[in-house]
Amino acid sequence: MTAPIPREIPELPAIPGPPLLLPAPVPATAVVAPVRRPLAAVFRLVTAAAAALGVALELLLGSPARVLSYFSVQTGVLLAVVMFLSARRAWHARRPLPSGVSGATLLYVLTSALVYHLLLGHATPPFSMTGATAAPERWHTQWAVLQILHTLVPTAAVLDWLLLTPAARLHLRQTAAWLLYPLAYLTFFLTRAAFLPPTSPSRYLYPFLDVAAHGYRITLANALLLGLAIYALALLLVGLDHTRPTPVRRRA
């Protein structure tokens, strides 16, 4: 036989002390919906259009096979795509692109700009993506395209990061993965040069990576120094991202 169920259940004693709240494993961004950001959407759309315009004009001025082999042109295409997708997400109140993607794009665009202004802008013979032997005159089409890809577009990317992107989204664990594309580009660059005839003027697009002039030892040493500089720039971006004030709330 079973014991009869008591008609009255005694009250349980109160638990002493305040209740303990365990930390939630779900981030706030997973439960707080983002908001529409039309200003950010318009700025990013304009930046994407500027990058696409620079690439399109360069393709009209030179051979597509040569132009598309430049690091700055490839990063210009990447920036145009990333900014367009980011603009759509900001306009439709969707979550932003992963920080690893946007951070890598910013790193590549800044690398292209710094290499041009520090190493190529005043080089002899003059740097040209179309193979021109004369230096492009100011305000001519070729000079304007170089400034769009190496000055205007990188500046817009930095302003978007500083003024329209939440802070502390980049992380040190992402920096090593960001070096995969520069390494892949170096492999592509040297492989492409190996299949072109030695007399081709577009065989080596960058003077510091000219194997015919410097040999593989110095060329690879230059590539290593450039890779270390890119990694240092990536660390700098992460450090600045965690020290700068955030311009928007995290949920945006």
Side-chain angles (χ1 to χ4, degrees), residues 52-199:
L53 176 64
V55 173
L57 290 177
E58 200 66 65
L59 289 173
L60 292 176
L61 294 173
S63 168
R66 176 190 176 106
V67 169
L68 291 175
S69 299
Y70 280 96
F71 184 86
S72 57
V73 172
Q74 295 180 11
T75 56
V77 174
L78 175 63
L79 180 67
V81 173
V82 169
M83 282 295 176
F84 176 75
L85 296 177
S86 298
R88 287 193 60 186
R89 288 171 177 259
W91 184 266
H92 294 289
R94 298 177 58 188
R95 306 196 186 284
L97 292 175
S99 60
V101 175
S102 56
T105 304
L106 176 64
L107 173 65
Y108 303 150
V109 171
L110 283 179
T111 298
S112 173
L114 291 175
V115 168
Y116 173 77
H117 287 286
L118 296 179
L119 301 178
L120 301 174
H122 306 284
T124 302
F127 174 75
S128 171
M129 293 186 182
T130 61
T133 56
E137 298 183 15
R138 284 182 175 271
W139 308 114
H140 283 199
T141 305
Q142 179 59 40
W143 180 87
V145 174
L146 291 175
Q147 303 312 309
I148 290 174
L149 291 177
H150 300 99
T151 305
L152 177 63
V153 170
T155 302
V158 172
L159 291 177
D160 175 79
W161 173 58
L162 292 176
L163 304 179
L164 301 174
T165 304
R169 297 186 70 233
L170 305 180
H171 304 284
L172 287 176
R173 63 177 180 272
Q174 299 169 333
T175 55
W178 292 345
L179 297 181
L180 293 179
Y181 171 59
L183 180 60
Y185 179 81
L186 176 64
T187 304
F188 158 77
F189 183 90
L190 296 179
T191 304
R192 171 186 175 276
F195 284 95
L196 291 177
T199 57

Side-chain angles (χ1 to χ4, degrees), residues 185-186 189-190 204 206-211 214 219 222-223 226:
Y185 179 81
L186 176 64
F189 183 90
L190 296 179
Y204 294 106
Y206 296 103
F208 48 84
L209 296 179
D210 191 340
V211 177
H214 308 299
T219 299
N222 291 338
L226 185 58

Side-chain angles (χ1 to χ4, degrees), residues 218-232:
I218 296 180
T219 299
L220 293 178
N222 291 338
L224 177 60
L225 291 176
L226 185 58
L228 293 176
I230 295 175
Y231 186 66

